[in-house]
RNA sequence: GCCGGAAUGGCGAAAUGGCAGACGCACGGGACUUAAAAUCCCGGGAGGUAACACUCGUGCCGGUUCAAGUCCGGCUUCCGGCACCA
């Protein structure tokens, strides 16, 4: 074994004690800004999945430096969050202590990998000099009316007696204790992300994201076009529904309203069966999320008897039902049911024997309704009979608008972002609640609003934030009127600090502004952002929203924060399952590093398979990468000749081809095949048995982005000048990629018969002539007549008989 | 149900429509060794043959093409995400 532990230590010491990887605010050079998602420093330390993206973009960053770019490649810590706080509570420690310890451990682990991070720009979201600006952004959102407090339904864990974020609810149960989660009304801070819904869709056209990321964001935002339509009731009042199918207006046979809808209370007074309806509403409220959203369960509901809705187009009286399959939070909370053309309405209508009127006929319609397709002709619909679905839709919308009974409208699935947590370990929300003035922002000059140091982080039974107990912190004078007021005691969610951190890397120590204009204009946007698919509809969407807001108020100059996004596949355990402590299949990078070293681990993580797909860890396969590096270490023994600036004839072509392949593969994240081609080259060098100093140099330059320590070591031992990582990335000569003879497959009727050697620039007739001279070919075509001859230069010949 | 992705040796995987299985693991044989480990060399899709030849082979069925893992149409299975969004 080559002495990787000493070698790697030596080079890491040299790199990190010099300014080699520091980004320079040098605007004369072109910049490059690759970004990885900064980690949440959990208590369990790094597992082998964490470094996969770090290594991948390190390869890109190192290559860019060699290509003459000024590179900004950073890491930091997304350190606020629940697991840290829970651990602190359990072990009676301060979350800050826990967090510091975790960061220390993560940092030591990451440093062992030899990633070319600019450690001078390390950031920590829990640092008051950082969260000062997170709070500042919140204040701007508040001032623009995009942060507001409102009564909202939140997730309440019946076990922990605490409010949970949506992302902490797994299939209707608590992520931590697995108890049932119910909905509870609570006063919450919200961010108006819905105001940006359309732009979050539209501006995806301007960025280079994978198709699947764009489509998931679009689906999540969930834009639907349709119409809002007014219905009167027999009691004389008015309500609105949202529908995507105004063309089916004649097929409406009943109305369904969500149990929580305020109109239910209003209509109760008129209902003949008020008691039963009330019971139904109560039962629905008591249901857990699982019960409520289980699609397999039977739909339930109850008619409000004694009151009817009137179809605006034909004055038909139709019954009004209450059912919990209708959501309050989407559209108007009231639905016009068209059982003939909607699966849910159909199911409900069948169960309660409600009428079903077909209004769209189509050859594509199944035997049994409902037909939900849109290729059809309207029937049973007086005014619009015979029209296509699309035309009928336009006709009905026009009619609604002309008669003041409705309008064209768009709805989004996206909801406003519940932005408060009843927790200690987060950014305090910089708002004061004044009995006279309402919610008042604190002055920007008072930022950061520091988290007070407290003893107990345990939440109250009521689920109030632990900060509520700190009277000395809570009680303040109103910044507006000076009367006694109280601070907001909720804190921000973990997603706050990560929504803008990439801006701070550009200018991490600025205490006057979030980022200087100069740094902003030079470094932004992020050129290449790699992260996990799991953040597509969370962090990635949230940070795009914040960035657009900052753009609107003139803080940043680009509409989008990230020019290009890619995502890595997960590294699974040896049993093909997601790595987790409970499954007992976690591989600790420290063990791999101890046994094989950083270069082998880096190489293996990139060689394991397609970067964008999941891959299972295989302890055995690491050996292949280790063997490869052993052989690299032995390369100087094959050196022949003195200084030269040219290739030997034996290796000229393969080295040029390898330069070409490695260069191209890195750009499209095909690290596995880039490494495979380096392995092939090494095999060839050993087969040839010798190489010159120029060739060795090139080999090391290609390798040094993947396995930097060993490359520098061999570089130094061979007496090459300077450091490998500051040399220019090798170019290749197209002509030199050419072999002097190439093997051509000769097929007869598409079946390969033999192979012949030809010069790569052999002309067609010449190639056919030479092929036919071959004895095997001659025999194969004997007795047949050639009807077609195909020649693909450098590849094959096909004779069709 | 909807959206996205995948299916190729014993395993991880490669293949701008052009020789399927590069590269690596594991395995088998050989060399070195007292022996083992390490290292080096050789081998390998399946059937078939004494050996060739030949036949079959990239989830299934069809199509386009001189030529299909790759393109087109229709399925199946698996993985990931979303899900009563009217």
């Amino acid at each position: 074994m080559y002495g990787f532990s000493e070698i790697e230590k030596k080079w890491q010491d040299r790199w990190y004690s010099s300014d080699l990887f520091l980004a320079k605010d040098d605007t004369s050079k072109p910049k490059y800004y690759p970004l990885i998602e900064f980690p949440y420093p959990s208590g369990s330390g790094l597992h082998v999945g964490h470094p996969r993206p770090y290594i991948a973009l390190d390869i890109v960053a190192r290559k860019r430096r060699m290509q003459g770019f000024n590179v900004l490649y950073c890491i930091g810590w997304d350190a606020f969050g629940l697991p840290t706080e829970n651990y602190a509570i359990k072990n009676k420690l301060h979350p800050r202590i826990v967090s510091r310890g975790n960061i220390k451990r993560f940092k030591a682990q990451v440093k062992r990998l030899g990633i070319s991070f600019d450690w001078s720009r390390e950031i920590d979201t829990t640092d008051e000099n950082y969260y000062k600006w997170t709070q500042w952004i919140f204040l701007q959102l508040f001032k623009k009316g995009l942060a507001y407090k409102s009564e909202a339904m939140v997730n309440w864990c019946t076990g922990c007696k605490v409010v949970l974020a949506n992302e902490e609810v797994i299939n209707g149960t608590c992520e931590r204790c697995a108890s049932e989660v119910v909905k509870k009304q609570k006063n919450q801070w919200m961010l108006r992300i819905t105001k940006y819904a359309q732009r979050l869709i539209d501006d995806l056209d301007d960025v280079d994201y994978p198709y699947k990321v764009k489509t998931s964001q679009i689906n999540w935002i969930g834009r639907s076009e349709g119409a809002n339509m007014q219905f009167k009731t027999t009691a004389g009042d008015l309500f609105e529904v949202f529908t995507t199918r105004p063309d089916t207006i004649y097929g409406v046979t009943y109305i369904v309203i969500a149990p929580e809808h305020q109109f239910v209370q209003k209509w109760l007074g008129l209902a003949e069966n008020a008691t039963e309806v009330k019971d139904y509403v109560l039962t629905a409220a008591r249901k857990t999320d699982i019960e409520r959203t289980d699609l397999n369960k039977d739909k339930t509901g109850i008619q409000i008897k004694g009151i009817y809705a009137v179809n605006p187009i034909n004055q038909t009286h139709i019954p009004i039902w209450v059912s919990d399959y209708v959501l309050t939070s989407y559209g108007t909370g009231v639905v016009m049911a068209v059982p003939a053309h909607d699966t849910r309405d159909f199911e409900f209508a069948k169960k309660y024997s409600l009428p079903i009127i077909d209004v769209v006929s189509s050859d594509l319609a199944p035997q049994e309704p409902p037909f939900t397709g849109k290729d059809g002709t309207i029937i049973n619909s007086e005014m619009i009979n015979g029209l296509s679905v699309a035309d009928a839709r336009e006709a009905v919308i026009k009619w609604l608008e002309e008669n003041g009974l409705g309008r064209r409208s768009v709805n989004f699935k996206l909801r406003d972002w519940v932005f408060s947590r009843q927790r200690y370990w987060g950014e305090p929300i910089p708002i004061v609640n004044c009995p006279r003035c309402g919610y008042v922002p604190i002055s920007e000059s008072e930022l950061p609003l520091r988290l007070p140091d407290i003893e107990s982080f345990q939440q109250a039974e009521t689920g109030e934030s632990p900060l509520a107990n700190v009277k000395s912190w809570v009680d303040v004078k109103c910044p507006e009127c000076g009367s006694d007021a109280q601070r907001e005691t909720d804190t921000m969610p973990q997603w706050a600090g990560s929504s803008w951190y990439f801006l701070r890397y550009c200018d991490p120590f600025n205490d006057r502004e979030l980022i200087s204009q100069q740094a902003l204009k030079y470094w932004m946007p992020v050129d290449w952002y790699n992260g996990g698919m799991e953040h597509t509809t969370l962090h990635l969407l949230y940070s795009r929203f914040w960035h657009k807001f900052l753009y609107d108020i003139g803080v940043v100059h680009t509409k989008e924060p990230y020019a290009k996004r890619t995502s890595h596949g997960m590294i699974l355990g040896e049993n093909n399952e997601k790595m987790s402590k409970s499954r007992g299949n976690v591989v600790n990078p420290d063990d791999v590093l101890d046994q094989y070293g950083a270069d082998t681990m880096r190489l293996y993580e990139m060689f394991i398979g397609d970067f964008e797909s999941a891959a299972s860890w295989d302890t055995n396969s690491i050996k292949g990468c280790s063997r490869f590096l052993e052989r690299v270490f032995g390369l100087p023994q094959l050196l022949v000749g003195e200084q030269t600036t040219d290739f030997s004839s034996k290796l000229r072509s393969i080295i040029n081809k390898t330069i070409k392949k490695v260069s191209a593969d890195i750009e499209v994240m095909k690290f596995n095949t880039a490494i495979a081609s380096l392995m092939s080259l090494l095999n060839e060098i050993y087969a040839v048995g010798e190489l010159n100093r120029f060739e060795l140099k090139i080999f090391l330059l290609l390798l040094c982005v993947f396995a930097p320590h060993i490359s520098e070591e061999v570089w130094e031992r061979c007496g090459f000048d300077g450091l490998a990582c500051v040399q220019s990335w090798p170019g290749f000569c197209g002509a030199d990629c050419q072999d002097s003879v190439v093997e051509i497959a000769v097929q007869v009727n598409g079946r390969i018969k033999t192979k012949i050697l030809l010069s790569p620039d052999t002309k067609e007739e010449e190639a056919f002539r030479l092929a036919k001279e071959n004895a095997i070919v001659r025999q194969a075509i004997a007795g047949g007549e050639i009807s077609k001859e195909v020649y693909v230069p450098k590849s094959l010949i096909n004779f069709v008989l």
Side-chain angles (χ1 to χ4, degrees):
Chain A
M1 293 282 258
Y2 74 96
F4 59 79
S5 33
E6 294 77 37
I7 290 173
E8 289 173 0
K9 176 88 176 52
K10 165 181 157 189
W11 289 102
Q12 284 166 17
D13 286 348
R14 283 207 206 170
W15 295 333
Y16 300 142
S17 64
S18 72
D19 61 356
L20 217 51
F21 301 137
L22 302 194
K24 306 177 186 61
D25 292 314
D26 168 10
T27 50
S28 66
K29 260 191 178 179
K31 66 94 184 183
Y32 199 81
Y33 187 1
L35 182 69
I36 47 124
E37 289 175 337
F38 66 160
Y40 172 70
S42 68
S44 40
L46 231 52
H47 68 67
V48 290
H50 283 103
R52 195 180 195 195
Y54 308 167
I55 298 166
L57 283 196
D58 188 43
I59 291 165
V60 173
R62 284 174 178 270
K63 184 182 174 212
R64 287 290 182 277
R65 281 193 203 92
M66 293 172 77
Q67 289 173 313
F69 288 89
N70 184 17
V71 173
L72 178 64
Y73 189 37
C74 301
I75 190 167
W77 316 103
D78 186 15
F80 275 131
L82 269 175
T84 300
E85 184 168 350
N86 289 340
Y87 182 88
I89 293 169
K90 206 169 151 191
N91 295 282
K92 305 214 183 313
L93 293 164
H94 193 292
R96 177 164 288 114
I97 304 295
V98 176
S99 181
R100 283 206 183 126
N102 291 349
I103 288 174
K104 200 175 159 202
R105 172 139 182 243
F106 262 66
K107 193 168 169 176
Q109 287 183 300
V110 172
K111 281 208 161 180
R112 289 187 70 187
L113 294 163
I115 311 274
S116 66
F117 286 130
D118 178 348
W119 285 99
S120 75
R121 294 177 185 241
E122 182 183 353
I123 55 180
D124 172 354
T125 54
T126 69
D127 181 335
E128 61 184 48
N129 294 315
Y130 181 88
Y131 72 66
K132 170 181 176 177
W133 298 105
T134 311
Q135 291 172 327
W136 183 86
I137 296 171
F138 182 88
L139 285 183
Q140 310 312 310
L141 285 161
F142 180 79
K143 286 173 189 169
K144 295 286 175 188
L146 294 171
Y148 62 98
K149 203 159 190 188
S150 101
E151 284 287 321
M153 281 296 190
V154 292
N155 305 299
W156 176 261
C157 172
T158 51
C160 309
K161 304 247 184 287
V162 74
V163 168
L164 297 179
N166 278 333
E167 49 279 359
E168 294 165 301
V169 182
I170 311 292
N171 290 329
T173 64
C174 173
E175 178 189 52
R176 268 172 296 148
C177 70
S179 314
E180 278 185 338
V181 172
V182 293
K183 292 288 185 192
K184 206 173 177 180
Q185 190 88 5
K186 223 171 178 315
N187 208 18
Q188 296 291 301
W189 281 98
M190 313 277 285
L191 296 188
R192 222 178 282 284
I193 189 173
T194 49
K195 200 184 162 199
Y196 285 76
Q198 190 63 51
R199 285 165 66 190
L200 286 167
I201 293 174
D202 292 344
D203 292 349
L204 285 173
D205 286 343
D206 303 333
V207 292
D208 177 12
Y209 286 12
Y211 178 73
K212 61 179 170 179
V213 172
K214 286 192 184 183
T215 48
S216 345
Q217 288 207 345
I218 290 168
N219 291 341
W220 181 262
I221 296 168
R223 182 192 154 98
S224 296
E225 292 180 14
N228 271 41
M229 208 182 277
Q230 286 173 8
F231 282 71
K232 283 200 177 96
T233 69
T234 48
D237 52 2
L238 216 67
F239 66 90
E240 254 188 13
V241 301
F242 169 71
T243 177
T244 55
R245 297 294 301 275
D247 50 286
T248 60
I249 184 167
Y250 286 94
V252 181
T253 55
Y254 62 102
I255 293 291
V256 198
I257 184 163
E260 303 87 353
H261 201 288
Q262 45 179 342
F263 277 36
V264 174
Q265 298 306 319
K266 188 165 142 192
W267 291 336
L268 268 179
L270 307 162
E272 293 162 7
N273 57 343
T275 322
E276 283 124 303
V277 175
K278 218 181 262 176
D279 276 352
Y280 180 81
V281 171
L282 280 175
T283 314
R286 248 183 266 122
K287 279 186 185 172
T288 63
D289 254 21
I290 325 179
E291 290 167 334
R292 182 82 188 255
T293 59
D294 181 6
L295 296 184
N296 296 323
K297 72 151 204 263
D298 249 8
K299 291 191 183 3
T300 58
I302 186 163
Q303 185 185 351
I304 306 180
K305 289 185 178 153
I307 179 168
Y308 291 87
V310 183
N311 189 326
I313 210 158
N314 60 6
Q315 314 308 316
T316 322
H317 286 203
I318 50 181
I320 300 175
W321 285 69
V322 182
S323 173
D324 63 4
Y325 83 85
V326 171
L327 311 170
T328 3
S329 48
Y330 185 78
T332 61
V334 193
V335 167
M336 60 174 230
V338 185
H341 306 289
D342 181 281
T343 25
R344 298 150 304 180
D345 297 344
F346 179 77
E347 203 186 305
F348 193 79
K350 269 278 180 204
K351 180 167 174 188
Y352 293 105
S353 305
L354 291 156
I356 297 167
I357 306 174
D358 256 307
V359 291
V360 182
S361 101
S362 168
D363 300 339
L364 302 170
Q367 289 282 311
E368 277 286 298
F371 169 61
T372 56
K374 289 183 184 171
D375 286 316
T377 308
I378 302 294
I379 52 168
N380 300 326
S381 304
E382 277 179 54
M383 276 167 55
I384 50 173
N385 273 330
L387 295 182
S388 70
V389 165
D391 289 347
R393 164 201 187 87
E394 289 311 307
V396 171
I397 293 174
K398 193 166 168 240
W399 180 85
L400 286 169
E401 285 176 346
E402 281 171 1
N403 293 282
L405 292 170
R407 65 203 144 77
R408 185 186 303 279
S409 65
V410 170
N411 259 278
F412 296 94
K413 284 194 220 172
L414 187 71
R415 309 288 161 71
D416 276 345
W417 176 5
V418 179
F419 199 68
S420 36
R421 300 288 181 272
Q422 296 67 41
R423 284 290 180 159
Y424 172 79
W425 195 230
E427 299 89 345
I429 292 176
I431 296 285
V432 170
N433 186 8
C434 169
R436 277 205 222 158
C437 316
Y439 296 112
V440 181
I442 69 169
S443 155
E444 285 177 20
S445 62
E446 283 180 46
L447 297 180
L449 171 60
R450 292 182 185 85
L451 266 178
D453 265 321
I454 60 175
E455 297 287 314
S456 167
F457 307 98
Q458 191 71 53
Q459 278 170 298
E461 264 298 286
T462 57
E464 251 189 316
S465 163
L467 288 176
N469 301 326
V470 193
K471 267 195 83 62
S472 59
W473 186 81
V474 172
D475 293 337
V476 284
K477 298 290 179 205
C478 170
E480 296 252 304
C481 70
S483 47
D484 287 342
Q486 299 196 307
R487 284 195 196 283
E488 173 60 60
T489 58
D490 282 359
T491 54
M492 299 188 203
Q494 210 192 337
W495 310 104
S498 59
S499 290
W500 70 282
Y501 72 109
F502 49 91
L503 291 171
R504 197 61 177 171
Y505 283 144
C506 303
D507 193 10
F509 308 111
N510 196 330
D511 55 4
R512 294 183 321 275
E513 50 193 345
L514 189 152
I515 176 174
S516 75
Q517 283 302 303
Q518 196 192 354
L520 182 79
K521 294 253 162 69
Y522 181 56
W523 290 114
M524 286 298 291
V526 171
D527 291 288
W528 188 338
Y529 190 19
N530 184 84
M533 273 309 285
E534 71 275 16
H535 289 135
T536 300
T537 52
L538 294 166
H539 158 68
L540 195 64
L541 198 64
Y542 293 156
S543 60
R544 289 183 62 221
F545 159 48
W546 274 36
H547 199 79
K548 286 184 182 306
F549 168 70
L550 293 174
Y551 174 80
D552 288 349
I553 61 168
V555 173
V556 301
H557 69 296
T558 58
K559 287 185 186 170
E560 285 287 332
Y562 322 116
K564 170 179 176 168
R565 168 86 176 183
T566 54
S567 56
H568 55 269
M570 210 186 295
I571 291 192
L572 307 172
E574 302 218 53
N575 54 358
N576 290 327
E577 287 174 24
K578 194 170 163 177
M579 275 192 196
S580 73
K581 229 191 279 178
S582 56
R583 292 188 179 89
N585 59 353
V586 175
V587 180
N588 184 333
D590 288 334
D591 300 336
V592 184
L593 290 167
D594 289 344
Q595 199 179 347
Y596 294 101
D599 283 333
T600 296
M601 163 132 173
R602 290 173 57 115
L603 215 53
Y604 176 63
E605 291 224 349
M606 293 299 102
F607 187 65
I608 192 167
D610 177 18
F611 181 72
E612 312 202 35
S613 313
S616 304
W617 191 262
D618 179 9
T619 302
N620 246 331
S621 290
I622 303 172
K623 286 182 195 149
C625 294
S626 170
R627 283 177 194 147
F628 169 71
L629 291 181
E630 289 292 341
R631 275 156 53 98
V632 168
F633 201 72
L635 268 183
Q637 290 165 26
L638 304 185
L639 272 179
V640 292
E642 286 310 305
Q643 298 292 354
T644 170
T645 54
D646 199 7
F647 299 99
S648 64
S649 58
K650 284 177 183 157
L651 296 173
R652 178 183 304 275
S653 158
I654 186 168
I655 294 182
N656 274 282
K657 280 193 247 180
T658 308
I659 298 171
K660 187 178 177 184
K661 173 123 184 95
V662 172
S663 304
D665 282 356
I666 290 173
E667 297 308 317
V668 290
M669 308 201 110
K670 296 179 75 166
F671 306 111
N672 52 339
T673 50
I675 292 167
S677 72
L678 285 170
M679 288 174 167
S680 294
L681 173 58
L682 187 77
N683 290 345
E684 182 61 22
I685 293 171
Y686 270 93
V688 166
E690 60 179 50
L691 84 169
N692 69 34
R693 293 176 63 83
F694 178 69
E695 291 162 339
L696 177 56
K697 262 189 166 176
I698 299 224
F699 185 88
L700 294 174
L701 293 179
L702 293 178
L703 182 68
C704 80
V705 297
F706 299 97
H709 311 83
I710 192 174
S711 304
E712 293 292 357
E713 182 67 20
V714 175
W715 183 270
E716 186 184 62
R717 288 184 186 204
C718 291
F720 297 138
D721 290 339
L723 293 163
C725 67
V726 299
Q727 309 298 313
S728 290
W729 182 253
F732 60 92
C733 170
D736 283 342
C737 293
Q738 201 78 254
D739 289 300
S740 54
V741 279
V742 288
E743 198 180 56
I744 301 274
V746 183
Q747 299 178 334
V748 174
N749 286 338
R751 288 172 189 280
I752 176 156
K753 291 295 167 187
T754 189
K755 291 172 183 182
I756 59 174
L757 295 173
L758 292 181
S759 149
D761 42 15
T762 308
K763 293 276 171 299
E764 197 169 81
E765 292 95 272
E766 179 72 355
F768 291 141
R769 191 180 62 76
L770 290 168
K772 286 175 199 163
E773 275 175 12
N774 182 286
I776 299 168
V777 177
R778 228 181 317 159
Q779 202 193 340
I781 60 180
E785 198 180 317
I786 296 176
S787 60
K788 184 162 186 169
E789 298 177 328
V790 181
Y791 175 51
V792 184
K794 288 181 264 186
S795 179
L796 61 68
I797 287 169
N798 189 10
F799 294 119
V800 185
L801 299 185

